[in-house]
Amino acid sequence: VSLLLTARRAPQLDALAEEIRRQGGQAQWLAGDLTSAAFRAQLVAHTAATLGGLDLLVNNAGAGRWGSFESGSEAQLRDILELNFVAPVELTRLALPLLQRAPAGMIVNIGSVLGHCALPYKSEYCAAKFALHGWSDALRAELRREATRPLSDNSGAERGNVAVLLVSPSTTATEFFERTGEARRARAMAPAEVAWRTRRAMETGRQEIILSWGGKLLVWFDRLCPPLMNRLLARYAPRPRA
Ligand SMILES: NC(=O)c1ccc[n+]([C@@H]2O[C@H](COP(=O)([O-])OP(=O)(O)OC[C@H]3O[C@@H](n4cnc5c(N)ncnc54)[C@H](OP(=O)(O)O)[C@@H]3O)[C@@H](O)[C@H]2O)c1
């Protein structure tokens, strides 16, 4: 397996690639900002040139905001939508021709429980993750239907099906909360467990997974009794300091 890693910080990417190589894997990296259309195009061109194809795209980069809707700004809303929604969608659009040539292509979108059940003071992030959820569902069905039609490159070759897996983690022990300023809850899942469960879901052909029992309860309860859930959240959800 050959990996191409990306994020903005080169030193972190270099250290991770080195760690993967130490453990016997193959990894390279390209640093850049995924909200830039030019960088997304460069990333896909680099993938085609150096890896010669693509079997799996993991859309993981994301960030949130913790604050009331009225204290936010249009710029903050656009930043969150760009990173959590537009970037993965447009990167996927560019990568699709490569994925459709793979024997069994796959897209893994890292969403959130908050893409199923919305919490107060995270309105922009919830909106972005709900959008990612809806797009993942639509794309999954569309790609299945379009599989076996000829590729649009006039080669006459057929498109392979590209599976879409939506992963919805709950609180995870990462840098995420340092960036939003929100105190992380004591019970956070380890990132390694998120990765391990994602891999198992890929291997077993799942379309969607909600990772924690707390997350599953939240989503089920929200579907079962939305008005009650709304009242509980309005009353008990932590409020950021003004
Ligand atoms: N942590 C949680 O509790 C939690 C819960 C549910 C879902 N999630 C989701 O899980 C995913 C991973 O988040 P995380 O918890 O691992 O947060 P994190 O520790 O803050 O990691 C975010 C990653 O995205 C990269 N990134 C951020 N902005 C970028 C940009 N503009 N261009 C390229 N890369 C960028 C960051 O690297 P650079 O800063 O170097 O660019 C970093 O590698 C996100 O989609 C998040 O919404 C997290």
Side-chain angles (χ1 to χ4, degrees), residues 7-9 32-35 60-62 83-84 110-112 125 129 169-172 174-177 179:
R8 291 164 302 178
R9 290 169 298 176
D33 186 339
L34 283 165
T35 62
N60 173 66
L83 178 61
N84 294 282
I110 307 298
S112 168
Y125 181 70
K129 291 295 188 184
S170 301
T171 305
T172 309
T174 65
E175 294 175 353
F176 190 90
F177 294 93
R179 297 176 196 238

Side-chain angles (χ1 to χ4, degrees), residues 52-231:
L54 185 64
D55 299 299
L56 169 67
L57 170 65
V58 181
N59 287 312
N60 173 66
R65 172 179 176 266
W66 191 46
S68 68
F69 172 70
E70 61 180 308
S71 70
S73 66
E74 181 178 342
Q76 286 172 317
L77 171 67
R78 286 188 186 277
D79 283 352
I80 287 176
L81 289 174
E82 281 290 334
L83 178 61
N84 294 282
F85 181 61
V86 178
V89 169
E90 291 305 323
L91 184 64
T92 300
R93 194 192 304 280
L94 294 174
L96 254 186
L98 292 177
L99 290 163
Q100 285 171 324
R101 275 186 204 94
M106 184 177 283
I107 299 161
V108 176
N109 291 326
I110 307 298
S112 168
V113 163
L114 303 190
H116 300 261
C117 170
L119 296 194
Y121 306 110
K122 300 182 179 190
S123 60
E124 301 91 351
Y125 181 70
C126 289
K129 291 295 188 184
F130 265 72
L132 189 75
H133 177 178
W135 168 72
S136 300
D137 287 354
L139 183 70
R140 182 183 304 114
E142 188 174 317
L143 292 178
R144 178 172 295 172
R145 178 148 182 190
E146 294 295 316
T148 76
R149 280 189 52 224
L151 285 165
S152 45
D153 61 3
N154 295 329
S155 63
E158 284 185 350
R159 301 162 206 241
N161 183 40
V162 179
V164 178
L165 167 65
L166 177 68
V167 177
S168 299
S170 301
T171 305
T172 309
T174 65
E175 294 175 353
F176 190 90
F177 294 93
E178 291 162 32
R179 297 176 196 238
T180 61
E182 181 184 359
R184 194 205 308 146
R185 279 184 286 132
R187 286 167 59 90
M189 194 174 270
E193 188 172 353
V194 174
W196 179 78
R197 285 174 185 242
T198 300
R199 181 178 159 173
R200 201 173 57 179
M202 289 163 59
E203 287 167 351
T204 52
R206 298 282 300 274
Q207 301 187 346
E208 180 179 308
I209 45 165
I210 294 173
L211 295 187
S212 74
W213 279 107
K216 284 178 192 168
L217 270 177
L218 199 67
V219 174
W220 286 337
F221 197 52
D222 187 49
R223 284 191 191 152
L224 216 61
C225 195
L228 179 59
M229 187 64 165
N230 222 277
R231 276 211 297 280

